[in-house]
C-alpha cells in the first residue's frame, strides 16, 4: 500500500547495502532469508550457541526444497544462502546499512542491544526492531540518534506472510520510516505505516477475534469446536479462534492481550479472559504442549461441532423484508423447490427474516432471540447469525428464544437445512458468534483509524495480509451498513452494561451521517 505520501519520497536501500539480522530464531531466520533472497548480503548474529549456524543451515535446506518444487531457480537458492554469513560478535555488524533485531521480547534487553549497536554501525544506519508489542518510542530512549529507530514488524512465518508494519515512534525520522517501507516493498512485502501504540495495527485490531470467542465460551454458549466451525463456514475465516489460539500458543496469545490491556491502562475492551489464564496456568498452551482448547495427538479425533439432526423441509415460506439475508435464503430455498412468497402487509414487523408457519426466523441484530421475541410479543422466534455470504455459506449458528416450541425450532432448522445450510445451535446469547465478532472487529479498526494509528485503507489491508481475514473489517462493516453495526454494538452494550462494547466515535459518526468507514479521510 502506498496510501502514505512519504512512500513516494524514499527509495529502497540498494541491494549493495549489507543487512544485519540479530536473533536467529523463528523470526530472525525468516527475515534473513527474505533479505538474502532480495539480493542483500546478510550478517546473522545470535548469542545462543550455534543458533545462527543452525538457522543458516535450515534456510539453505528450505531454499533447496523451494528450488526442487520449481518455486525458485536453483542458482538463486544457492546464491541467497551464500549471501548469508554468520557473525560472532556485534562488532562484526560494522558497515551494515540496516540492522533488524529479532531477539527476545524484553524492553531492557532490546534497549541495551540498541545502545551497543549504535556505536558499532555508522550514523546513517537504520536500526529496525521486529518487536510485536514494545513501544518503538521507548526503544529509542537513551540513543544518540533515536530518529533512526523504527519498527519493522514481520508476521510469522516471515518468508510467507506479506504484511510488514512499519512503525514510527515519536522520535522516528519520517525518511527512515519511508526508506524501510520502500525496502520492504522491494523485498516483495506489503508494508503499511503505523504509529507506535499498543499492538500496532494487527495485534490490536485482532483482539476481538479471540476475545468474543472467549466470552462465548465463558458463557457456555457453545463449544470451541462449534464456535470454530461457525467462524470458518459462516464467517469465512481460514481458522476458528480456538484452533488458531492453539496454534499460536495460549501463553503467547494471552501475553499479547495482557500487554495491550496493560498498555491501555486496563481498557475493558482488552480485558484478558480468566478462562484462558486458567488454561495457561495449567500448562495447556495448545499444540506445543499437546493440549489447549483441544487435545492434540495422532490418536485423538477432533471433537465435532454441534450440527442439528435433519428436520423436515418447509412446504411454504414467507419472506419478511428484502435484504441480503432474505434474498439469498429465498433463492437457495427456491432452488431446492420450496415456494417462497413475500409476506403480506398484515404480517407483524420484526426485522428481516423468513416466516415458516408460526415461526419467525430472523437475522440477528445484537439482541437475544428472547429480547426480540419479547419486543414482538411472540415466543416462536429463532435468530440467525451473520455469514460472510449467505448465498454460499455451508453452516449458520442459530438460537431459539426462551419458550420457543420444539416444533418452531424444528421448522427453523428444517428451513435452513432445505437451503443446504448445516445448523449449529448456540445458547441464546446477544450477538451470536460471527455477528458480534465482526461488529467488534470493525469497531476496533474504526477506533484505530479514528486515533490516527493507521488509515482506513491500511487497516483493512493489514488484517487481510497479516492475519488472512476474508474481508477487511471496515469493508465488512460498510457492506452491512455502519448504522447496522452500530446498532449491534449498542444492543451488546445495553445487554452487558459494559464499557467493553462502547462505540468508536468514528463508527458512531459514519452511522449517523450514512457515510462509509472506508472513505474516511481527515
Ligand atoms: P525466538 O525465541 O525464536 O528467537 C529469539 C532469538 O534471539 C534466539 O535465538 C535467542 O538466542 C536470540 N537472542 C536473545 N537475546 C539475544 C541478544 N541479546 N543478542 C542476540 N541474540 C539474542 O523468538 P522469535 O519468535 O523469533 O521472536 C523474536 C522477536 O520477534 C520478538 O521481539 C517477538 O516479539 C517478535 N515477533 C515474533 C513473532 C512470532 O510469531 N514468533 C511474530 C512477530 C514478531
Amino acid at each position: 500500500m502506498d496510501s502514505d505520501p512519504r512512500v513516494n519520497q524514499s527509495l529502497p536501500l540498494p541491494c549493495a547495502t549489507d543487512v544485519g539480522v540479530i536473533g536467529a530464531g523463528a523470526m530472525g531466520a525468516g527475515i534473513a532469508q527474505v533479505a538474502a533472497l532480495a539480493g542483500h548480503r546478510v550478517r546473522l548474529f545470535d548469542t545462543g550457541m550455534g543458533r545462527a549456524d543452525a538457522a543458516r543451515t535450515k534456510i539453505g535446506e528450505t531454499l533447496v526444497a523451494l528450488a526442487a518444487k520449481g518455486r525458485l531457480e536453483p542458482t538463486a537458492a544457492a546464491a541467497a544462502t551464500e549471501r548469508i554469513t554468520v557473525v560472532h560478535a556485534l562488532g562484526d555488524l560494522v558497515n551494515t546499512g540496516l540492522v533488524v533485531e529479532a531477539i527476545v521480547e524484553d524492553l531492557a534487553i532490546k534497549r541495551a542491544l540498541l545502545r551497543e549497536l549504535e556505536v558499532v554501525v555508522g550514523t546513517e544506519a537504520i536500526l529496525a526492531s521486529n518487536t510485536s508489542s514494545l513501544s518503538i518510542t521507548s526503544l529509542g530512549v537513551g540513543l544518540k540518534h533515536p530518529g533512526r529507530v523504527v519498527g519493522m514488524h514481520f508476521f510469522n512465518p516471515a518468508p510467507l506472510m506479506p504484511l510488514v508494519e512499519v512503525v514510527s515512534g515519536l522520535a522516528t525520522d519520517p525518511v527512515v520510516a519511508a526508506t524501510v517501507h520502500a525496502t520492504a516493498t522491494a523485498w516483495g512485502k506489503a508494508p503499511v505505516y503505523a504509529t507506535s501504540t499498543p499492538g500496532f495495527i494487527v495485534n490490536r485490531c485482532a483482539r476481538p477475534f479471540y476475545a468474543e470467542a472467549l466470552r462465548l465460551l465463558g458463557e457456555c454458549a457453545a463449544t470451541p469446536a462449534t464456535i470454530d466451525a461457525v467462524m470458518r463456514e459462516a464467517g469465512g475465516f481460514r481458522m476458528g479462534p480456538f484452533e488458531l489460539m492453539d496454534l499460536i500458543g495460549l501463553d503467547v496469545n494471552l501475553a499479547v492481550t495482557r500487554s495491550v490491556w496493560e498498555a491501555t491502562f486496563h481498557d475493558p475492551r482488552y480485558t484478558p479472559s480468566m478462562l484462558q489464564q486458567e488454561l495457561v496456568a495449567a500448562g495447556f498452551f495448545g499444540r506445543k504442549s499437546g493440549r489447549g482448547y483441544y487435545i492434540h495427538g495422532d490418536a485423538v479425533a477432533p471433537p465435532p461441532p454441534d450440527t442439528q439432526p435433519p428436520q423436515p423441509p418447509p412446504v411454504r415460506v414467507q419472506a419478511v423484508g428484502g435484504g441480503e439475508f432474505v434474498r439469498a435464503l429465498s433463492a437457495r430455498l427456491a432452488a431446492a423447490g420450496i415456494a417462497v412468497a413475500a409476506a403480506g402487509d398484515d404480517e407483524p414487523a420484526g426485522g428481516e427474516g423468513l416466516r415458516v408457519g408460526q415461526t419467525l426466523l430472523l437475522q440477528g441484530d445484537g439482541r437475544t432471540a428472547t429480547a426480540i421475541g419479547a419486543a414482538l410479543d411472540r415466543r416462536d422466534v429463532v435468530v440467525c447469525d451473520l455469514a460472510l455470504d449467505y448465498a454460499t455459506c455451508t453452516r449458520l449458528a442459530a438460537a431459539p428464544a426462551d419458550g420457543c416450541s420444539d416444533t418452531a425450532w424444528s421448522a427453523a432448522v428444517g428451513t435452513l437445512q432445505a437451503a443446504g445450510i448445516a445448523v449449529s445451535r448456540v445458547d441464546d446469547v446477544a450477538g451470536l458468534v460471527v455477528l458480534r465478532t465482526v461488529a467488534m472487529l470493525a469497531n476496533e479498526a474504526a477506533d484505530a483509524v479514528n486515533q490516527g494509528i493507521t488509515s482506513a485503507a491500511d487497516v483493512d489491508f493489514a488484517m487481510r495480509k497479516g492475519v488472512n481475514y476474508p474481508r477487511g473489517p471496515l469493508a465488512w462493516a460498510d457492506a452491512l451498513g455502519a448504522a447496522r453495526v452500530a446498532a449491534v454494538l449498542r444492543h451488546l452494550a445495553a445487554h452487558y452494561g459494559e464499557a467493553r462494547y462502547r462505540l468508536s466515535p468514528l463508527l458512531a459518526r459514519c452511522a449517523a451521517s450514512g457515510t462509509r468507514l472506508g472513505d474516511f479521510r481527515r
Side-chain angles (χ1 to χ4, degrees):
M1 298 294 291
D2 64 354
S3 56
D4 191 307
R6 290 173 295 186
V7 73
N8 297 323
Q9 295 165 11
S10 277
L11 294 171
L13 292 169
C15 288
T17 305
D18 280 18
V19 172
V21 176
I22 309 181
M27 295 307 294
I31 296 165
Q33 179 179 321
V34 170
L37 273 175
H40 294 270
R41 282 196 305 272
V42 177
R43 288 179 238 165
L44 186 57
F45 172 64
D46 195 299
T47 46
M49 179 78 94
R51 292 258 172 93
D53 285 303
R56 187 182 183 277
T57 305
K58 182 91 190 300
I59 294 167
E61 289 165 2
T62 304
L63 295 181
V64 165
L66 285 175
K69 286 183 196 159
R71 302 223 200 113
L72 198 63
E73 285 296 322
T75 47
T81 309
E82 280 303 305
R83 281 195 285 273
I84 300 175
T85 310
V86 170
V87 297
H88 299 285
L90 266 193
D92 295 334
L93 296 176
V94 64
N95 292 333
T96 48
L98 166 68
V99 181
V100 188
E101 74 76 17
I103 67 165
V104 60
E105 186 78 340
D106 181 301
L107 181 64
I109 298 178
K110 282 191 196 282
R111 266 186 179 164
L113 173 78
L114 291 175
R115 272 200 286 270
E116 264 188 82
L117 199 56
E118 194 178 37
V119 294
V120 171
V121 296
T123 49
E124 294 300 306
I126 294 173
L127 306 183
S129 173
N130 187 51
T131 179
S132 43
S133 66
L134 300 174
S135 154
I136 299 300
T137 305
S138 299
L139 283 177
V141 168
L143 294 190
K144 280 199 196 79
H145 304 287
R148 54 161 140 176
V149 176
V150 63
M152 192 177 192
H153 184 211
F154 289 81
F155 288 75
N156 194 5
L160 295 183
M161 296 304 284
L163 188 71
V164 174
E165 290 176 332
V166 178
V167 187
S168 290
L170 287 180
T172 305
D173 182 340
V175 175
V176 167
T179 303
V180 167
H181 191 290
T183 303
T185 305
W187 292 2
K189 294 295 170 189
V192 291
Y193 286 111
T195 55
S196 179
T197 50
F200 310 139
I201 305 173
V202 170
N203 277 336
R204 169 192 174 157
C205 292
R207 289 345 296 152
F209 184 74
Y210 313 106
E212 291 312 307
L214 284 162
R215 288 290 291 241
L216 291 169
L217 190 62
E219 288 184 49
C220 306
T223 63
T226 299
I227 294 170
D228 280 348
V230 167
M231 290 293 282
R232 278 194 316 268
E233 294 182 48
F237 291 91
R238 204 168 284 185
M239 291 179 88
F242 294 105
E243 50 194 346
L244 185 53
M245 283 186 273
D246 267 14
L247 184 69
I248 294 169
L250 272 62
D251 51 337
V252 174
N253 186 265
L254 177 63
V256 175
T257 303
R258 190 187 286 280
S259 94
V260 174
W261 178 61
E262 281 168 1
T264 54
F265 307 113
H266 297 182
D267 185 331
R269 206 131 83 191
Y270 314 109
T271 307
S273 152
M274 288 186 293
L275 203 149
Q276 186 176 25
Q277 180 172 261
E278 193 70 359
L279 287 164
V280 170
F284 299 163
F285 296 150
R287 281 186 182 276
K288 61 187 172 189
S289 68
R291 180 168 175 183
Y293 298 106
Y294 297 98
I295 295 173
H296 300 275
D298 293 341
V300 191
D306 177 83
T307 302
Q308 291 291 296
Q311 300 298 330
V315 177
R316 189 165 168 272
V317 172
Q318 285 182 303
V320 182
E324 182 51 29
F325 176 72
V326 167
R327 269 203 311 275
L329 285 185
S330 298
R332 289 176 77 156
L333 287 168
I338 288 159
V340 184
D345 292 342
D346 57 333
E347 282 301 311
E352 155 130 349
L354 300 173
R355 186 186 155 119
V356 196
Q358 287 308 304
T359 310
L360 266 185
L361 177 59
L362 296 176
Q363 186 180 28
D365 66 0
R367 289 178 292 170
T368 60
T370 306
I372 296 175
L376 295 173
D377 199 18
R378 306 173 66 128
R379 289 192 154 188
D380 287 341
V381 171
V382 172
V383 170
C384 252
D385 200 6
L386 178 68
L388 176 65
D389 183 0
Y390 285 115
T392 55
C393 68
T394 52
R395 179 180 298 274
L396 275 175
D402 289 352
C404 176
S405 66
D406 289 347
T407 317
W409 170 250
S410 299
V413 171
T415 303
L416 291 170
Q417 288 172 339
I421 299 170
V423 181
S424 286
R425 180 172 175 159
V426 299
D427 195 27
D428 187 22
V429 284
L432 293 166
V433 181
V434 180
L435 181 61
R436 64 150 66 191
T437 305
V438 168
M440 285 294 276
L441 287 171
N443 200 40
E444 199 59 50
D447 230 29
V449 173
N450 197 46
Q451 292 166 2
I453 291 158
T454 181
S455 67
D458 279 1
V459 71
D460 270 5
F461 183 80
M463 301 314 283
R464 286 191 292 107
K465 299 295 178 188
V467 272
N468 281 322
Y469 284 3
R471 201 178 212 179
L474 297 184
W476 205 334
D478 282 333
L480 297 172
R484 183 167 164 220
V485 176
V488 170
L489 290 163
R490 288 195 177 105
H491 286 315
L492 284 165
H495 182 80
Y496 288 108
E498 289 177 51
R500 177 189 186 91
Y501 295 101
R502 70 188 186 275
L503 217 54
S504 159
L506 179 57
L507 186 54
R509 183 171 161 180
C510 290
S513 63
T515 49
R516 292 170 62 83
L517 287 151
D519 293 340
F520 179 76
R521 305 272 181 284
R522 271 215 173 72

